[in-house]
Structure formats: C-alpha cells, structure tokens
Amino acid sequence: MKFRPLHDRVVVKRIESEQKTAGGIIIPDTAKEKPQEGLVVAVGSGARDESGKLVPLDVKADDRVLFGKWSGTEVKIDGVEYLIMKESDIMGVLNA
C-alpha cells in the first residue's frame, strides 16, 4: 500500500464476519451488518499536545481493533477498501 496517514489517523481494513450463524443458518449479504472489527494497516506519527510535543499512538500496525459502527471514512486504495479514522474512534485492541 502506498499511503501513509498523517498525525493521529489510522488505516484499518475490516475483518469480514462469519456468513453462518451458530445454528447453521446462512446470512445473506443484504441482511449482514458491516463488521466493527478490523486490522490496523498503517498509523500516523501521532498527535501534538498543547505544548507541541509529539504524543505517539497506542495502536500499531497488525493490531486487531474494535471501532464504532459509523466510525471512519471509507476509501478504496489499489482496489482494496479501507477505513481511515482517528485513533479516538477505536474502542480497543483485541488480544489473542
């Protein structure tokens, strides 16, 4: 990918959810909600505090994160869909 986010922005690729329920029912594409889980692809250098000092981001590339349903801006880079959002839109990092 040839894109580097600025400041406190994060690039996230959505992780697709299961297409079947636990009971084996297949969910059609029209009934599925967009996943709220993703993989961090790239992060900016960080935000500046009031004194101008650079504050690094808590997330890093390859972190698996949860974010709000309406978070971020959808973009297509090299034919792949990504979300660009502020770090504050991320609710947390999922640990394996």
Side-chain angles (χ1 to χ4, degrees):
M1 178 174 68
K2 301 171 188 169
F3 182 80
R4 182 179 57 90
L6 299 176
H7 309 295
D8 64 340
R9 303 267 194 251
V10 178
V11 178
V12 176
K13 183 175 181 184
R14 286 187 197 268
I15 296 175
E16 293 301 321
S17 59
E18 290 292 318
Q19 297 185 10
K20 264 196 239 182
T21 64
I25 298 171
I26 297 175
I27 303 169
D29 287 339
T30 56
K32 278 196 254 182
E33 288 189 19
K34 290 186 178 181
Q36 294 174 277
E37 185 177 331
L39 188 68
V40 175
V41 177
V43 297
S45 58
R48 300 242 177 227
D49 64 8
E50 293 172 4
S51 65
K53 190 174 110 180
L54 187 67
V55 178
L57 301 180
D58 289 333
V59 296
K60 60 187 180 312
D62 295 328
D63 277 350
R64 203 171 169 145
V65 296
L66 289 177
F67 49 87
K69 193 176 276 192
W70 308 110
S71 298
T73 302
E74 294 180 351
V75 296
K76 201 176 246 191
I77 302 171
D78 296 332
V80 180
E81 287 189 21
Y82 296 101
L83 282 171
I84 299 176
M85 64 183 72
K86 287 190 166 207
E87 185 189 38
S88 60
D89 290 338
I90 295 174
M91 292 186 269
V93 177
L94 294 168
N95 296 325

